Amino acid sequence: MSDTTARSTTHLTRRLVQLYAGLALYGASSALLVRAGLGLEPWGVLHQGLTELTGISIGVVSIIVGAVVLLLWIPLRQRPGLGTVSNVFVVGLAMDGTLALVGGLDGFGIRIPVMVLGIVLNGVATGLYISARFGPGPRDGLMTGLNRVTGRSIRLVRTAIEVAVVVTGFLLGGSLGAGTVLYALAIGPLAQLFLRVFELPAPAKATVTPAPPAGPAPVATPPSGQAILPQ
């Protein structure tokens, strides 16, 4: 195996590790916000509301919602990547796994730090899995697809989606609170910071030595000041 191939394999391995570590951490951080009970991120409010309505675990609800949102990519002509499909399943499984390990929390002395930890880890997770460059999550792809189809700004489209999601989730019994507001204010700067931290270098490219041209050998250029005289 050449050095270039080895570096390329290492680069791919690191990307995969970042992808799945980021997705698992995203699910775990969302679960911490649930346990803190001080308000969830916008899509978390919807997931929790649907959980209250159906009795299905919030992780499974997250998987179902992610799959439904992914179906909306079809009319928008969005193409999913490995990260897109993995996002649907890994985040939800990690949420339910974390909730099974972390029980209910009592008192603001523990719930507030857990809320802050959940928001910070969510920013770390976002930087990890986006930097891996395996495609956007279903919800992010919905946003960019609507931006392309409607011509509206990303800010307007994202705001409209998240307002609709939060209102629907709240009406279904999802949790709004200080955590929701703090998340909205902090997640942008946190994601930007950790995108820089986990940015991957460009993959190594193989150096190809060009083959000599076919045909007779080139005529040597005479020293400066001399000319090639016709014979």
Side-chain angles (χ1 to χ4, degrees):
M1 182 183 293
S2 68
D3 289 344
T4 300
T5 304
R7 287 196 297 270
S8 179
T9 301
T10 301
H11 183 80
L12 176 60
T13 301
R14 179 176 169 183
R15 288 175 63 205
L16 288 169
V17 169
Q18 281 199 198
L19 170 66
Y20 289 106
L23 293 177
L25 186 59
Y26 195 99
S29 63
S30 296
L32 291 179
L33 292 176
V34 172
R35 285 294 185 234
L38 297 172
L40 304 178
E41 75 278 15
W43 284 94
V45 177
L46 176 62
H47 298 156
Q48 191 178 53
L50 289 171
T51 293
E52 293 292 329
L53 179 67
T54 63
I56 302 173
S57 74
I58 193 169
V60 173
V61 166
S62 173
I63 292 172
I64 294 171
V65 170
V68 171
V69 171
L70 194 54
L71 290 176
L72 297 177
W73 282 33
I74 297 173
L76 296 175
R77 297 183 180 180
Q78 293 279 94
R79 290 186 177 182
L82 174 64
T84 309
V85 178
S86 298
N87 185 297
V88 173
F89 297 99
V90 176
V91 171
L93 293 173
M95 281 187 72
D96 277 352
T98 304
L99 289 170
L101 293 173
V102 180
L105 305 175
D106 294 323
F108 287 107
I110 184 65
R111 290 166 63 195
I112 291 175
V114 168
M115 175 193 70
V116 173
L117 177 63
I119 293 172
V120 172
L121 291 180
N122 199 276
V124 174
T126 300
L128 277 168
Y129 85 79
I130 291 180
S131 294
R133 300 193 303 274
F134 278 109
R139 297 153 185 84
D140 292 330
L142 176 64
M143 174 187 66
T144 55
L146 287 172
N147 159 254
R148 180 173 52 80
V149 169
T150 65
R152 303 295 184 180
S153 68
I154 285 287
R155 179 180 299 177
L156 178 60
V157 171
R158 177 165 184 165
T159 299
I161 291 173
E162 295 195 347
V163 167
V165 163
V166 167
V167 170
T168 303
F170 178 70
L171 293 176
L172 293 174
S175 174
L176 282 175
T180 309
V181 176
L182 183 58
Y183 183 93
L185 294 174
I187 193 60
L190 285 171
Q192 185 174 2
L193 168 64
F194 289 109
L195 279 169
R196 290 198 297 266
V197 170
F198 297 114
E199 183 180 6
L200 290 167
K205 295 183 179 180
T207 302
V208 179
T209 303
V219 178
T221 303
S224 177
Q226 296 182 12
I228 300 177
L229 300 177
Q231 301 297 316

